[in-house]
Amino acid sequence: MLCIRRATILTPEVQIDNGVLLIEHGRILAVGDDASIATPDYAEVIDAGGLLVTPGFIDLQLNGAFGDDFTLTPDTIWRVAAGLPRWGVTSFLPTIITSPLQQVAQAQETLEGGPPAGWQGSIPLGLHCEGPFLNPQKKGAHNPAHLRLPTVADVAAWSPEAHVRLVTLAPELPGALEMIRTLYARGIVVSAGHSMATYHEAKAAFAAGIRYGTHLFNAMPSLEHRAPGLPGALLSDEALTVGIIPDGIHVHPSIVALAWAAKGPHRLTVVTDAMAALGMAPGSYQIADQEVIVTEHSQGVHEARLASGTLAGSVLAMDEALRRLIVYTGCNLRAALATVTATPADLLGIGHERGRLRAGAWADLVFLTPTLEVVRTIVAGATCYQTD
């Protein structure tokens, strides 16, 4: 048994000063304050005095890190996952972007095979298939040679049980509504993205089963007051959740604040959309089968672009994303935490097990300094990262 004491426990719902967590068999046994929970004699004790303890961070869109790209080499998922706890990420969706469909199948096989013996790290919750059913006019960094129109036959092997949890597609394409209905019926979260959908096309897709918007404002029409398009539909529909990349490059800080005002902590998820250069120096990297040049940027993070100048994912770590969200929006930490914990967990339908600190949930925890630097990450009760 593990006992964490003297923590400031912070979740989207509650703050517990002088808090205590009991963990057994990878799950939270009890959570409360020092007066209500005694330390069992046989427990290993962690003194978290002076630290914040929060739920582990969940990233719904991650293309790779440490030089590895999931689309190009799906077998690197477990290797990358082992390093993600340094940024507080305890679970995530490995993202496979537009490519031959066999790349998705290989990623499914990688997850089905499970981790190597003795492995520890961030838990892959399933795949995010971003494409190949995207609008060529909003392809972004996706190779147009691999784009295709939606057909249900192409996704016959996609389901949560087969490790596909989130699918991004352009809902205005021929055949898209049938695919949306099919995937939704299987329990997959279907997202609108890389799209030229009008407002009315977007609303029809929402009625068919779209529940999410991929990297709001990026790879979609501009928000206009007479033609609100997909971003206007996403922002104005109270039932829709959206992802946003708060690196100061993909979306201007003032527009991040606008999205926050419209959606709030329960309908906004912070994603990194990070690519292979995360954790690496500037240089040349891959996103799927395309070269990406990573350089320094005035916003204080690295910038990833194709030779054409098109943005190609980010080099944003999740702890930095959380800090920037607070700066850009002026929100408090508890509200900001929801966007990387409870809200993505709820979107995936796993809010009872992840994204919150409560009895019965997986013991996925992040220890933060008052300046929100990660000093320890625990996944399923085991320490996977700790500073010296």
Side-chain angles (χ1 to χ4, degrees):
M1 177 180 287
L2 184 64
C3 178
I4 299 166
R5 303 200 70 86
R6 298 206 312 134
T8 298
I9 297 173
L10 201 62
T11 78
E13 290 87 10
V14 67
Q15 176 173 329
I16 304 174
D17 296 322
N18 204 17
V20 179
L21 282 153
L22 293 183
I23 297 168
E24 192 169 43
H25 305 306
R27 293 185 181 264
I28 297 172
L29 186 64
V31 56
D33 60 23
D34 185 68
S36 61
I37 300 177
T39 303
D41 293 339
Y42 53 89
E44 174 191 351
V45 177
I46 295 177
D47 185 344
L51 297 175
L52 305 170
V53 175
T54 77
F57 303 158
I58 302 170
D59 194 348
L60 298 179
Q61 188 169 5
L62 183 74
N63 303 293
F66 310 114
D68 292 320
D69 176 79
F70 297 144
T71 303
L72 190 65
T73 52
D75 61 344
T76 62
I77 288 174
W78 295 108
R79 183 165 66 218
V80 170
L84 296 178
R86 66 185 282 188
W87 298 300
V89 177
T90 58
S91 54
F92 71 109
L93 297 185
T95 299
I96 308 299
I97 72 165
T98 297
S99 55
L101 291 174
Q102 66 188 31
Q103 297 306 106
V104 175
Q106 288 182 27
Q108 289 174 289
E109 292 173 5
T110 295
L111 294 186
E112 182 65 25
W119 177 90
Q120 287 186 323
S122 180
I123 305 297
L125 299 172
L127 302 174
H128 174 180
C129 298
E130 188 185 2
F133 314 110
L134 309 180
N135 192 316
Q137 295 181 63
K138 289 294 181 181
K139 65 183 185 300
H142 294 239
N143 188 338
H146 304 308
L147 293 175
R148 55 202 294 152
L149 292 176
T151 62
V152 171
D154 282 340
V155 298
W158 293 10
S159 68
E161 296 74 23
H163 308 289
V164 175
R165 299 298 293 269
L166 174 63
V167 173
T168 295
L169 52 75
E172 72 278 13
L173 295 178
L177 293 183
E178 181 184 5
M179 181 175 283
I180 292 165
R181 294 187 189 101
T182 298
L183 295 175
Y184 176 76
R186 293 179 192 166
I188 292 174
V189 177
V190 191
S191 181
H194 289 272
S195 165
M196 286 293 293
T198 66
Y199 180 87
H200 294 293
E201 287 171 333
K203 295 296 284 188
F206 299 170
I210 291 280
R211 289 295 174 267
Y212 190 59
T214 295
H215 45 50
L216 180 66
F217 298 116
N218 295 118
M220 58 182 66
S222 297
L223 177 64
E224 297 184 13
H225 61 290
R226 292 193 182 95
L230 177 57
L234 289 167
L235 286 168
S236 60
D237 193 310
E238 295 182 356
L240 268 290
T241 303
V242 298
I244 201 162
I245 309 167
D247 61 354
I249 300 170
H250 281 77
V251 182
H252 191 277
S254 68
I255 303 302
V256 175
L258 176 66
W260 177 264
K263 304 305 288 186
H266 304 301
R267 285 289 180 262
L268 186 75
T269 68
V270 163
V271 298
T272 65
D273 197 18
M275 46 78 68
L278 180 62
M280 306 290 285
S284 175
Y285 296 90
Q286 293 289 124
I287 190 162
D289 55 1
Q290 301 200 88
E291 183 184 18
V292 180
I293 305 302
V294 176
T295 59
E296 301 278 357
H297 190 274
S298 60
Q299 287 296 320
V301 294
H302 294 160
E303 181 177 39
R305 292 184 182 270
L306 302 181
S308 65
T310 300
L311 283 169
S314 86
V315 195
L316 178 68
M318 185 56 93
D319 59 336
E320 177 65 15
L322 179 68
R323 293 189 291 267
R324 286 178 181 246
L325 180 71
I326 294 169
V327 171
Y328 295 167
T329 66
C331 70
N332 62 48
L333 176 57
R334 273 180 52 193
L337 277 172
T339 70
V340 298
T341 59
T343 300
D346 289 344
L347 179 73
L348 295 178
I350 56 172
H352 60 295
E353 287 204 316
R354 300 188 191 274
R356 293 176 173 86
L357 303 182
R358 62 186 181 193
W362 285 106
D364 296 345
L365 318 173
V366 182
F367 292 56
L368 300 169
T369 68
T371 56
L372 308 186
E373 301 289 338
V374 177
V375 295
R376 184 195 290 256
T377 302
I378 291 176
V379 181
T383 295
C384 294
Y385 171 77
Q386 186 175 1
T387 56
D388 296 334

